[in-house]
């Protein structure tokens, strides 16, 4: 496949996202597109921002802190989406708009402490291990309600929805099964009307499955490869 210009790819992805949103019975702009920036040079991320993308997804604390001064993201929000160690929360608490990867009470308590010190309320999503995979992080579906109840006690956190990465591979119907299960959990959480919560985001869908995720109810898709091309990990280059 010939490499297309970034702006062209973004335009094409926008159209596909809008079309899927409409097919799912929602407005064309009902689904947010996140540009996942891991391994992508800051200058290229800036090009994406210039093309109108307004949301960045950051996986790694160190990489984000290095690239942050180079980004021109005045108009842009940043979500942390990678696995987050409690001892790193302090480095990002005042530098991101949302943490999508909260998977334990312990991590939530640390964010509460740091957000209080920074005098802010941190929006966050609970990450659900929807495939109940041993290798993946995230709260198990059967433990979600309990964790949601506990975190809703924390005044400097705002429970804003759910995030998931379903098991890789498998056929399309298997993916849909997990996405639909997530949508059901999302509706359950919304209905609870917990304290300190405004459940409004269902973050699921990546480059190879975002349309299916949208058709199942996702309203935030996290896209890397389809926007920026195949990732070039530093580890692999050395
Ligand atoms: C890398 C990553 C993505 C994007 O994956 P692509 O398949 O490249 O679109 C989305 N979500 C998370 C949590 C990621 O780490």
């Amino acid at each position: 496949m010939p490499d297309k210009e970034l702006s062209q790819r973004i335009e094409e992805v926008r159209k596909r996202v809008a079309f899927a949103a409409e097919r799912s019975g929602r407005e064309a702009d009902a689904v947010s597109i996140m540009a996942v920036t891991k391994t992508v040079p800051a200058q290229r991320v800036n090009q994406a921002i210039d093309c109108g993308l307004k949301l960045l997804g950051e996986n790694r604390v160190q990489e984000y802190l290095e690239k942050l001064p180079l980004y021109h993201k005045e108009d842009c929000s940043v979500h942390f989406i990678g696995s987050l160690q409690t001892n790193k929360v302090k480095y990002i608490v005042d530098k991101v708009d949302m943490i999508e990867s909260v998977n334990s009470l312990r991590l939530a308590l640390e964010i509460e402490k740091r957000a209080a010190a920074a005098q802010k309320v941190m929006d966050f999503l609970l990450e659900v291990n929807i495939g109940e995979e041993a290798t993946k992080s995230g709260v198990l579906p059967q433990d979600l309600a309990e964790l949601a109840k506990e975190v809703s006690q924390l005044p400097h956190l705002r429970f804003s929805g759910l995030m998931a990465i379903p098991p890789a591979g498998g056929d399309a119907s298997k993916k849909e099964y997990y996405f639909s299960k997530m949508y059901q959990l999302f509706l359950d959480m919304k209905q609870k009307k917990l304290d300190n919560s405004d459940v409004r985001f269902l973050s699921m869908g990546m480059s190879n499955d975002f349309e299916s995720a949208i058709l199942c109810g996702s309203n935030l898709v996290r896209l890397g490869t389809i926007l920026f091309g195949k990732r070039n990990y530093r580890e692999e280059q050395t």
Side-chain angles (χ1 to χ4, degrees):
M1 187 184 79
D3 193 38
K4 286 186 220 152
E5 287 299 319
L6 182 61
S7 64
Q8 226 174 313
R9 293 198 204 196
I10 291 173
E11 219 25 68
E12 201 175 289
V13 165
R14 274 218 186 92
K15 280 188 197 142
R16 287 172 61 182
V17 167
F19 186 61
E22 284 178 334
R23 272 178 65 205
S24 75
R26 290 174 288 169
E27 299 290 325
D29 63 357
V31 178
S32 302
I33 299 172
M34 169 192 287
V36 175
T37 67
K38 58 183 184 261
T39 77
V40 180
Q43 174 222 354
R44 208 160 147 70
V45 175
N46 283 336
Q47 289 170 6
I49 295 171
D50 293 342
C51 292
L53 288 183
K54 294 210 173 310
L55 176 59
L56 305 182
E58 296 289 328
N59 279 80
R60 300 163 181 183
V61 171
Q62 188 58 36
E63 182 180 338
Y64 178 44
L65 295 178
E66 283 168 20
K67 282 152 71 175
L68 178 58
L70 306 172
Y71 285 161
H72 44 80
K73 60 164 202 63
E74 298 73 23
D75 248 2
C76 203
S77 302
V78 177
H79 291 186
F80 194 83
I81 61 171
S83 73
L84 181 58
Q85 292 169 272
T86 49
N87 63 354
K88 301 246 170 96
V89 170
K90 57 178 177 284
Y91 300 118
I92 60 157
V93 76
D94 59 340
K95 297 184 179 65
V96 300
D97 302 287
M98 185 183 288
I99 298 175
E100 295 201 3
S101 43
V102 175
N103 54 15
S104 70
L105 182 60
R106 183 164 168 266
L107 178 57
L109 287 168
E110 176 66 16
I111 299 170
E112 164 65 26
K113 181 172 121 190
R114 299 294 173 177
Q119 295 188 305
K120 78 179 275 188
V121 173
M122 178 64 84
D123 281 327
F124 75 97
L125 307 183
L126 286 176
E127 180 177 355
V128 181
N129 185 353
I130 193 64
E132 305 187 35
E133 296 170 280
T135 53
K136 272 209 189 115
S137 73
V139 57
L140 293 172
Q142 61 269 30
D143 299 333
L144 175 62
E146 179 65 22
L147 181 59
K149 204 172 101 192
E150 288 170 334
V151 296
S152 70
Q153 313 293 311
L154 306 173
H156 295 89
L157 292 188
R158 187 187 295 118
F159 176 37
S160 305
L162 303 178
M163 186 269 254
I165 307 170
D171 58 15
S173 69
K174 196 75 196 161
K175 274 267 172 72
E176 275 167 36
Y177 167 77
Y178 288 119
F179 286 145
S180 301
K181 234 173 129 175
M182 280 303 302
Y183 184 64
Q184 196 52 54
L185 291 173
F186 172 68
L187 293 182
D188 291 348
M189 291 298 118
K190 228 175 155 64
Q191 268 173 7
K192 284 183 187 286
K193 302 208 187 314
L194 295 162
D195 291 340
N196 302 307
S197 80
D198 179 13
V199 175
R200 62 198 188 282
F201 287 110
L202 178 57
S203 172
M204 60 185 191
M206 316 203 305
S207 290
N208 60 8
D209 58 18
F210 67 95
E211 283 154 319
S212 161
I214 292 169
L215 289 171
C216 294
S218 166
N219 59 16
L220 201 176
V221 291
R222 307 180 310 268
L223 306 178
T225 312
I226 198 169
L227 299 174
F228 297 112
K230 206 168 168 316
R231 279 182 288 278
N232 216 336
Y233 286 99
R234 264 178 253 169
E235 299 89 79
E236 290 170 3
Q237 291 173 331
T238 54

